[in-house]
């Protein structure tokens, strides 16, 4: 029918970016470089530690609020053990631990149906065992 399904608009400060088709696994609809501000949009933020990029996305859909945190580990450093999470209104939520090697991506998705999830601003978290915890700038709906 020729209807537009989605649009991605990038600021010039976003650096290199490439469109990536959404997958049935609920992955992000775009793969973006992380701008220095960390704010890709009000709902999508990122932070760039030396070993990769942590992306965080919050969106409202038919089943409630979907919160996704993803870590793209680039080619530097050794294999890590880590976990992805997010924080909302002073509470922290974690996915299970995983091992990740270079040039791979790991992600975790939570779907929340409560009204508190609609209203709260979230930040994405990456905790690497034996190292520091990283957080993205805030994302909101």
């Amino acid at each position: 029918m020729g209807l537009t399904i989605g649009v991605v608009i990038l600021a010039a400060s976003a650096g290199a970016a490439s469109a990536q088709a959404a997958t049935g696994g609920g992955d992000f609809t775009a793969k973006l470089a992380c701008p220095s501000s960390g704010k890709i949009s009000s709902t999508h933020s990122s932070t760039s530690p030396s070993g990769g990029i942590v992306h965080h996305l919050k969106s409202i859909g038919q089943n409630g609020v979907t919160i996704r945190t993803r870590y793209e580990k680039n080619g530097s450093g050794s294999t890590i053990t880590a976990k992805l999470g997010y924080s909302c209104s002073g509470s922290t939520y974690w996915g299970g631990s995983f091992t990740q090697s270079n040039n791979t991506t790991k992600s975790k998705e939570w779907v929340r149906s409560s009204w508190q999830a609609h209203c709260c601003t979230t930040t994405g978290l990456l905790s690497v065992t034996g190292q520091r915890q990283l957080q993205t700038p805030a994302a909101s709906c």
Side-chain angles (χ1 to χ4, degrees):
M1 290 177 46
L3 299 175
T4 302
I5 294 174
V7 176
V8 176
I9 299 173
L10 302 173
S13 63
S18 60
Q20 173 180 304
T23 66
D27 207 355
F28 293 91
T29 57
K31 183 176 180 179
L32 307 168
C34 186
S36 60
S37 69
K39 294 296 282 183
I40 294 169
S41 70
S42 64
T43 61
H44 188 176
S45 59
S46 64
T47 189
S48 294
S50 62
I53 299 174
V54 181
H55 288 276
H56 182 66
L57 179 68
K58 182 178 179 186
S59 60
I60 297 176
Q62 291 179 344
N63 297 325
V65 176
T66 300
I67 301 164
R68 294 182 195 116
T69 304
R70 177 180 77 189
Y71 181 54
E72 296 175 12
K73 185 168 178 16
N74 63 26
S76 64
S78 59
T79 299
I80 60 168
T81 300
K83 58 185 176 180
L84 295 168
Y86 75 96
S87 66
C88 173
S89 300
S91 296
T92 301
Y93 305 89
W94 293 103
S97 292
F98 57 86
T99 301
Q100 186 173 5
S101 58
N102 292 331
N103 300 312
T104 60
T105 299
K106 299 288 185 176
S107 64
K108 174 65 179 154
E109 177 178 294
W110 300 263
V111 177
R112 304 291 190 224
S113 58
S114 69
W115 66 269
Q116 294 96 338
H118 287 272
C119 300
C120 98
T121 298
T122 61
T123 57
L125 303 171
L126 171 69
S127 178
V128 180
T129 302
Q131 298 179 26
R132 61 189 172 147
Q133 180 175 300
L134 300 163
Q135 105 176 18
T136 66
S140 59
C141 291

